[in-house]
Amino acid sequence: MFNNIKTISYVSGTTKTNTFFYFLKKLPIFKKLVSDEIYSFLDIKAFVSIVMVVCSTLFNIFIKFAYVFIFGIGIALTAKNYKSIDSTLFIFSLTVFSILGGLLKGSAICDPSDEKYTCIKLLKMPAKDYCISKFILSLFNNTISFIPAVIVLGLIVKLSILQSLLLSVNIVCAHVISEVIHMYLNKKFNTILGSNVPYSFFYIIFIPAVFLSILLLDRYYTHLNIIPTISDISTSIPFTLIMICLSDLCFIYIKKYNNYYDLIKKSLQQDEIKKVSIRQNMQGSNNTFKDVKLKDDKDLVIKGKNFDKYTGYQYLNEIFFARHKRLLIKPVYNAIGVIFGVTLVTLISYFLVPTTTPYIHDIMAEFLNLFSLFPFLIYFVTLFSSERACRAMFFNCDISLLSYSYYRKPKVVLETFKIRLIKIFKTNLLLCLSICLCYLILMIATKNVINIYDTGLFFISIISLGAFFSIYHLFAYYIFQPFSTELNVKNPFYSILNVVIYLICYVSMQLRLPLLGFAIAVISISIIFCIVALILVYKLAPKTFRIK
Amino acid sequence: MILKLENINKSFGEKQIFNNANFTFEKGKIYGLLGRNGAGKTTLFNCISGDLKLDSGNIYLNENIEDTPISTDNIGMVYSTPILPDFLTGYEFIKFYIDINKDKVDNLKTIDEYFEIVKLEKEDRHKLIKSYSHGMKNKLQMLCFIISKPPVILLDEPLTSFDVVVALEMKKLLKELKHDHIIIFSTHILQLATDLCDEVVILHQHILSETNQELLHSPEFEAKLIDILKDEE
């Protein structure tokens, strides 16, 4: 076992070291200092490799500290509207995000990785040996990172060391149990959950949804003491004992299980495909682009549109959006349908169910105070029309056309940017206008007083958000062009920026700020961002929008 | 019309690819570029097409009397695996291509007439390129040259994965095209080079050299060529 762990660490260390030297050589200062021979200095490499493994372990600990800080303290803080943070909320938040979330999260055994491909396919390591060693490494990493993070940050919220210890042990146990859950589900559904797009969506929505619903329940049924009870249970000794027993059973299962190769076969195949350059395998399957593939039978025929009136790049993009209607536009239409549906149901119950009438009247009177929910809502819906659109543009169009010089000419890059921006904005505008229209209908129907200034501010903010998310994704795509021909996301800034935007939207949803301040902030940020983004695109995109 | 490489130098880090290489390609000929793996055939194409910058030296295109630095507009490039936008049908792609090259095209034909030239079947013209076979995609790329007629056509290891029928069609097409163009293609397949090329250029030891014309069709060609390429630095 120890030898296997050593081999995996060696492979991972060497890969990291070589990647490090490769990128070091790309930096202007080191370009001349570091020669190609560096790869042959085995002593230096062994040393750097150890440094790399130590650094990545430390980085992992740092990430867990940041994670516990954001999910334990940050989100719990926003949930309480900046009132004092207590240990109950800290425990509750980590229970939902890390224990419940940990049970469903990724799996070291099942999820695909380059390292797994190298060890099992290329180095012919037995699948069972690899999986068990990988599992032990992941358990070790979780133990040395979660336990200190929860204990240290627990001190801030005045959590006793025993409680912190119990909570962190439960988190580590949840990750162990998660492995077996993944093994079972992967076998049952013959898929890899860790890289399954619908599952990831489910995970991203399900966990915050549970968190929010319990918060809401707790607010309305205070006497039930829901959150304190959950917190007490998840830091109680019996619960921890149960978790440890379950983990022990999982250990035994993992140790006794024999069919690892069949279990992970699929993740190896996917990686195998990923490793084949896109130039040789244009139909290559990759998770980043799995949801933007066209289907011959569904997407070929474009109904009711005549493209003959368009020429050149306009023609190209008109067809692009028409043929991607199912993937990009329909989800937005569905969201609009839901908005009108909710409006209709509200109207029906307002007029036909007298008991709901006063509630609905009150909600509508206070509706504008719910404005902080909208950035997240619009962010979420425009993921289809804007973010997915950019991935579709790359996968189905730009990856091939960017190989040709005519498509890379600055004039053409800016022209296609403009055409695409207008197309995306039109779709998003439809969503924004629908929200505004439904608001007006409901206000008039429920005979509420319409304050023209507030309503105007609300409308402008909603449309600004639509504009912001239209430009944001396209801007990030044109400036960072984060995808490589191997279909990976190469640019870390792109991923970081996306996480930041997601967090800002999520946190702002929790803040429940009053309309005036928040709306003005949204409008000014949107306008400033749009101007800056457009200038940057016009200045930089002709250089940055390239195949990498 | 000639394409002139003048004292070109290119290296990646310490690995030198071209060292003061010179060569002149002429219109009306098909050149086969031969070299061992890693000799720099694709690099040469990328330098000519402007995708890679030379360390020093010049590449000129002389269409009449004057040497002018080559521009990307003068180049048509075919990759070993054709790269085309999946979401369009063949017909739509050609319409788009004609649109953006309208000012360069004289004697414009209808789209269907163009398809006739490369013998792309009627029922395939309105299918998504995504579903096209390798050969069909290559025909589309060839069609682009027939439409926009770039002076220089570079083919990076083409014809390697074609079936015999399509390979023959492509060979015929290239031979028809050569009168108005400078065509250079890189290949590993000797037979293809001897079949199709008017001249074989060898990229070896960082320079380009022409092989003896008579040798090209002689039975000893293969043995001689291997001798040259085996000759280590």
Side-chain angles (χ1 to χ4, degrees), chain A residues 336-516:
Chain A
I336 293 174
V338 170
I339 291 168
F340 277 101
V342 170
T343 309
L344 192 68
V345 170
T346 315
L347 284 179
I348 291 172
S349 37
Y350 182 79
F351 289 111
L352 300 182
V353 189
T355 46
T356 60
T357 312
Y359 291 111
I360 293 172
H361 183 271
D362 290 352
I363 290 175
M364 284 318 295
E366 290 294 313
F367 186 79
L368 291 181
N369 289 332
L370 295 174
F371 177 65
S372 53
L373 296 176
F374 283 95
F376 193 76
L377 178 78
I378 295 176
Y379 164 80
F380 190 73
V381 179
T382 55
L383 275 184
F384 294 99
S385 57
S386 313
E387 193 270 345
R388 189 191 255 186
C390 292
R391 279 184 292 121
M393 282 168 198
F394 182 75
F395 186 70
N396 291 329
C397 180
D398 298 343
I399 192 172
S400 46
L401 285 179
L402 276 174
S403 306
Y404 300 98
S405 58
Y406 59 81
Y407 199 72
R408 294 192 304 254
K409 284 183 181 164
K411 214 180 97 193
V412 174
V413 169
L414 297 179
E415 190 184 337
T416 50
F417 177 82
K418 197 174 105 190
I419 296 170
R420 288 166 169 187
L421 181 62
I422 293 171
K423 291 293 273 182
I424 291 177
F425 183 59
K426 273 187 187 165
T427 311
N428 292 347
L429 191 64
L430 209 60
L431 170 79
C432 299
L433 291 177
S434 309
I435 295 174
C436 296
L437 182 66
C438 287
Y439 168 75
L440 267 189
I441 293 174
L442 282 172
M443 285 299 272
I444 293 168
T446 55
K447 300 185 193 75
N448 265 298
V449 183
I450 300 174
N451 178 327
I452 193 135
Y453 294 111
D454 281 354
T455 308
L457 205 56
F458 176 70
F459 285 9
I460 297 172
S461 316
I462 294 288
I463 291 165
S464 305
L465 282 171
F468 175 85
F469 287 116
S470 306
I471 292 189
Y472 163 69
H473 289 290
L474 205 59
F475 156 80
Y477 175 47
Y478 269 72
I479 292 295
F480 296 116
Q481 207 299 84
F483 311 115
S484 70
T485 45
E486 286 84 23
L487 297 179
N488 293 319
V489 179
K490 279 272 172 200
N491 196 320
F493 295 111
Y494 179 77
S495 313
I496 293 168
L497 202 62
N498 278 341
V499 173
V500 170
I501 294 282
Y502 172 81
L503 281 178
I504 291 175
C505 294
Y506 184 79
V507 170
S508 71
M509 178 167 71
Q510 300 290 318
L511 287 178
R512 297 287 153 73
L513 290 173
L515 173 72
L516 187 68

